[in-house]
């Protein structure tokens, strides 16, 4: 995780990073469940990851990304595509253990994509946002966070 650029001093980035950290910890748990052959636990963790990522993704896609698209259109488009891929695989477990026998391996591969995605955001998008965006931009991101029901720290 990036801590050298100062982007953690922006509340929106600090919160997005905290959510990333929470997801990374759950990814480790999924790997443990996978090694144990516990597909039910993998599905449970996929739902937990979705619970964190659903509002998180809205903050990024409706708050942060639109503010960066003009300067970084290809990068933002790629990140949005990765969001769709992750959502599809996690969503397969929305109501229980997926019937598709390939799903556990799909999940492991997709979580690797997610881990790389998180690094792209933390080491690229967040520092770029720090240098590109101003106060009213961060207010926009915070407003989206508030709208999706994620409380800002006091």
């Amino acid at each position: 995780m990036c801590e050298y650029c100062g982007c953690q001093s922006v509340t929106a980035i600090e919160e997005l990073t905290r959510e990333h950290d929470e997801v990374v910890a759950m990814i480790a748990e999924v790997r443990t469940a996978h090694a144990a052959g516990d597909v039910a636990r993998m599905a449970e963790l996929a739902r937990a990851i979705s619970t964190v990522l659903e509002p998180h993704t809205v903050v990024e896609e409706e708050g942060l990304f639109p503010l960066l698209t003009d300067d970084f259109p290809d990068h933002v488009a790629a990140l949005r595509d990765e969001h769709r891929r992750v959502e599809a695989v996690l969503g397969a477990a929305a109501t229980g253990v997926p019937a598709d026998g390939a799903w556990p391996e799909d999940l492991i591969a997709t979580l690797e994509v997610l881990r790389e995605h998180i690094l792209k955001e933390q080491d690229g998008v967040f520092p770029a946002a720090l240098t590109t965006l101003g106060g009213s931009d961060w207010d926009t991101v915070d407003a989206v966070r508030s709208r999706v029901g994620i409380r800002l720290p006091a």
Side-chain angles (χ1 to χ4, degrees):
M1 168 180 62
C2 156
E3 293 184 9
Y4 57 86
C5 70
C7 62
Q8 297 293 315
S9 65
V10 175
T11 301
I13 293 175
E14 177 184 21
E15 289 301 304
L16 290 167
T17 299
R18 182 190 53 74
E19 292 156 2
H20 283 165
D21 292 346
E22 189 175 343
V23 167
V24 168
M26 286 188 275
I27 289 171
E29 290 183 54
V30 171
R31 288 181 181 141
T32 300
H34 181 257
D38 190 347
V39 178
R41 178 71 176 143
M42 292 174 71
E44 178 185 325
L45 288 162
R47 289 187 295 278
I49 291 169
S50 288
T51 298
V52 174
L53 286 183
E54 286 170 6
H56 173 97
T57 299
V58 172
V59 171
E60 289 178 345
E61 292 197 357
E62 294 180 18
L64 187 59
F65 289 177
L67 298 167
L68 298 171
T69 299
D70 287 346
D71 292 325
F72 310 100
D74 294 338
H75 195 69
V76 170
L79 292 170
R80 288 178 188 271
D81 288 345
E82 289 170 357
H83 282 171
R84 300 297 80 78
R85 176 178 175 188
V86 169
E87 289 167 349
V89 173
L90 293 176
T95 59
V97 175
D100 181 355
W103 180 80
E105 296 306 321
D106 253 2
L107 179 62
I108 293 299
T110 300
L111 292 178
E112 185 57 35
V113 169
L114 177 57
R115 183 68 184 105
E116 292 299 316
H117 174 93
I118 288 169
L119 292 173
K120 289 178 202 172
E121 289 181 347
Q122 290 186 181
D123 293 340
V125 174
F126 296 169
L130 181 66
T131 62
T132 305
L133 305 182
S136 65
D137 296 323
W138 293 114
D139 291 343
T140 299
V141 176
D142 290 343
V144 173
R145 179 172 283 282
S146 179
R147 181 176 52 80
V148 297
I150 303 174
R151 292 183 39 139
L152 293 171

